[in-house]
Amino acid sequence: QKTPPLSLVLAESLSESDSDETFDDASNAPDMDFEARRNHPSLRNKRKSVCAERLEDVSDMKLEVIKKSEEEAARIRKILEKNMLFNSLDDHQMKTIVDAMFVVEKVDSEVIIQQGEDGDNFYVIDSGHVDVYVDDETGRNLVQTYDGEGAFGELAIMYNSPRAATCIAKGNVRLWALDRLSYKVILMQTSIARRNAYRAFLEKVPSFLHLTEFELLTFADALDEEVFEDGAVVCREGESGNKFYVVKEGVAVCTKANSEGSDEEVAKLASGAYFGEVRIVTGAVSLN
């Protein structure tokens, strides 16, 4: 029977995360409705204000799950994983995003998004072709065509910003859409749940009992998740280390070299156990 992978959450250092960002130039925002926009000469020197949207408490808001086949969900996920906005999400966040996306169908020459208008949806192309145009003083310019695959409209679900281009269906098009509120609710709810889970782990570590509430939550926000396959070495005795680990799922086996130079098992760490806290506090070499 195959041993399930070991899932760990880890920290390398404390860092205070910023919840709000402001971009004076839309080209510097983590959008990218389409790659061609950044290279189009008519937009190189135009400045726009792009600001993060503040939401009220949405921690209890329920989102509808839109039914999809396994093949449809896999196609959406494949496209999202290539996108800068979504490729850092964990499995739960990604699944929740995919579940919330709804179908939009357009016919030939129908406008999907209009340059200059307020945006509310992000789109993933399920089938069909989409032409992308930018209007400037010279007229309407075709800057990109999506052929049966792709995604656009990221800026709309992150910031209150007008659409940077016009997207028009080239033939019949079927899309999956995600609205701005759902995106923010998903990230907020999953981030809160993850933060609380990580905080619960940290509260069990004696070395961190002196931390204030703010410091503990900041530490929780700094944690990342790593997965190790059966037999993989997480850290090795004698090496200098700068990472602290908490076992999220699976079992970590700790060994120590005996007098004969062989590795001898000294402990097994299951979910909720931790190691490496001395190294990140003192910089000592690894003893486990």
Side-chain angles (χ1 to χ4, degrees), residues 235-241 256 275-276 279 283-288:
C235 60
R236 194 176 298 278
E237 181 181 2
E239 293 180 347
S240 61
K256 190 171 179 62
F275 56 96
R279 283 174 286 144
V285 296
S286 177
L287 299 178
N288 48 6

Side-chain angles (χ1 to χ4, degrees), residues 192-242:
I192 290 172
R194 183 171 60 179
R195 170 189 263 198
N196 289 338
Y198 290 176
R199 174 186 171 179
F201 285 141
L202 295 173
E203 287 176 334
K204 299 176 183 177
V205 182
S207 300
F208 301 148
L209 292 179
H210 67 283
L211 296 181
T212 66
E213 178 82 1
F214 173 76
E215 289 171 334
L216 201 63
L217 291 175
T218 302
F219 203 158
D221 289 340
L223 293 174
D224 290 319
E225 184 171 338
E226 284 190 14
V227 177
F228 296 85
E229 294 300 325
D230 184 36
V233 176
V234 178
C235 60
R236 194 176 298 278
E237 181 181 2
E239 293 180 347
S240 61
N242 64 344

Side-chain angles (χ1 to χ4, degrees), residues 4 28 80 100 113 195 254:
N28 292 328
L80 293 182
I113 63 174
R195 170 189 263 198
C254 300

